[in-house]
Amino acid sequence: MSDRRLLLVHAHPDDEVLGSGATMALYAAAGAHVTLVTCTLGEEGEILVPDLAHLAADQQDALGDHRIGELADSCAALGVTDHRFLGGPGRWRDSGMMGGPSNDRPDVFWQADVDEAAVELVKVIRDVRPQVLITYDENGGYGHPDHIQAHRVTVRAFEAAGDPSFAPEVGQPWQPSKLYYTAFPKSVLQAGIDHLKAQGDTDFFGVDSADDLPFGVPDDQITTEIDARDFLEAKMDAMRAHATQIALDGPFFALSNNVGQQTMGVEHFILVRGELASITGREADLFEGV
């Protein structure tokens, strides 16, 4: 196993790409062991391919199985060979958007017992023994219940994985060194909005200011900037793999075509556990100081 081991926890298939896809591809290409844990199959996702509309949750309810294949293709594009579903495929169901009736189903991730889910993640942590974990912030990036739950479970698992009294039946204790949250700096989002407007394209979530987006953090909160511009095309290929979820003519592809080198090829993170390696500027490597 590689000396450098990175574990990312995302809520649904396709979440791995937008905020961390280029980073995953960069580290995988550099020989690090990159593990992706996905918490649900994304059964409640909106379907952007008309011919696949019958897979929807209110019809055949078969979208989750289809998205397993999309995720496999995405991981292949990124060069990631170690992918796992938390607790196994379908252990917890996609909860749907906040406030929807699907939030109340007993089998959804939003309703999962945090410690029970954390045991499943600790099992992976103790198996892989990563130095670095990545997930979302307290708001799940933009408020989706499964993203918030992924945050809760990952933080609990980070704190518990090194404790020999926590779930001793799932492996020897291992304490990761660093925990990061994915982040989109407001300045980068604003630059993308401004560029698209200058090109006559106003379809970036229908806003004029990054302050109006449900995601985005002040620049001074960013601790780590990963320059993965050499892997932008791998990230785009991974996005294309999620055809039911990401429109080829949508705002992210528009940004890629116009200002993608900076907006999509450089990814940002906030260190929330562990020692920050740089005291004068942003880290340039997730493994700095490890």
Side-chain angles (χ1 to χ4, degrees):
M1 184 176 290
S2 170
D3 290 338
R4 296 194 301 169
R5 299 177 299 279
L6 170 64
L7 193 155
L8 303 97
V9 182
H10 282 286
H12 315 99
D14 86 339
D15 288 329
E16 76 284 350
V17 179
L18 296 178
S20 59
T23 296
M24 294 167 68
L26 181 153
Y27 281 106
H33 186 96
V34 179
T35 301
L36 171 64
V37 173
T38 307
C39 298
T40 78
L41 302 184
E43 296 94 334
E44 296 289 334
E46 180 182 359
I47 298 175
L48 302 180
V49 180
D51 288 347
L52 297 177
H54 60 280
L55 300 177
D58 61 356
Q59 296 190 44
Q60 294 182 5
D61 196 15
L63 179 59
D65 288 341
H66 182 84
R67 293 184 74 179
I68 291 175
E70 290 187 338
L71 182 56
D73 290 342
S74 171
C75 286
L78 299 175
V80 173
T81 58
D82 185 8
H83 169 258
R84 311 170 190 210
F85 285 102
L86 186 67
R91 172 63 182 84
W92 286 285
R93 183 182 173 89
D94 180 359
S95 306
M97 298 301 289
M98 186 68 82
S102 56
N103 294 174
D104 298 325
R105 287 181 53 145
D107 58 343
V108 299
F109 192 48
W110 183 236
Q111 297 294 337
D113 179 85
V114 170
D115 268 6
E116 181 182 345
V119 168
E120 297 298 332
L121 185 54
V122 165
K123 185 186 302 184
V124 179
I125 292 171
R126 291 176 177 173
D127 178 38
V128 175
R129 303 172 77 83
Q131 297 98 344
V132 176
L133 262 65
I134 294 176
T135 192
Y136 317 107
D137 64 13
E138 296 88 344
N139 191 45
Y142 69 103
H144 192 293
D146 289 334
H147 289 234
I148 295 171
Q149 189 77 318
H151 159 82
R152 293 171 178 170
V153 170
T154 303
V155 171
R156 178 69 177 114
F158 179 90
E159 295 170 344
D163 181 355
S165 68
F166 185 87
E169 72 279 5
V170 298
Q172 295 298 310
W174 173 262
Q175 182 58 57
S177 299
K178 302 171 92 174
L179 173 65
Y180 290 93
Y181 297 158
T182 56
F184 293 92
K186 286 191 175 183
S187 66
V188 174
L189 293 170
Q190 189 63 53
I193 292 169
D194 292 344
H195 190 91
L196 290 179
K197 287 173 62 180
Q199 299 294 315
D201 186 346
T202 59
D203 187 28
F204 193 83
F205 301 102
V207 302
D208 293 321
S209 170
D211 291 334
D212 298 326
L213 291 170
F215 51 92
V217 300
D219 284 49
D220 60 6
Q221 294 183 17
I222 302 297
T223 64
T224 310
E225 182 175 279
I226 303 300
D227 186 345
R229 287 175 289 181
D230 289 345
F231 296 90
L232 178 61
E233 190 54 42
K235 179 173 179 171
M236 295 300 104
D237 287 343
M239 290 172 66
R240 292 183 187 98
H242 292 290
T244 64
Q245 304 301 303
I246 303 176
L248 293 178
D249 58 352
F252 289 107
F253 280 97
L255 283 178
S256 169
N257 292 335
N258 292 295
V259 290
Q261 289 267 317
Q262 177 63 30
T263 306
M264 300 294 285
V266 180
E267 295 175 340
H268 301 85
F269 304 89
I270 301 172
L271 179 68
V272 293
R273 301 285 195 281
E275 296 295 324
L276 186 65
S278 174
I279 61 174
T280 60
R282 293 176 178 174
E283 293 179 321
D285 180 2
L286 297 169
F287 293 91
E288 283 188 32
V290 172

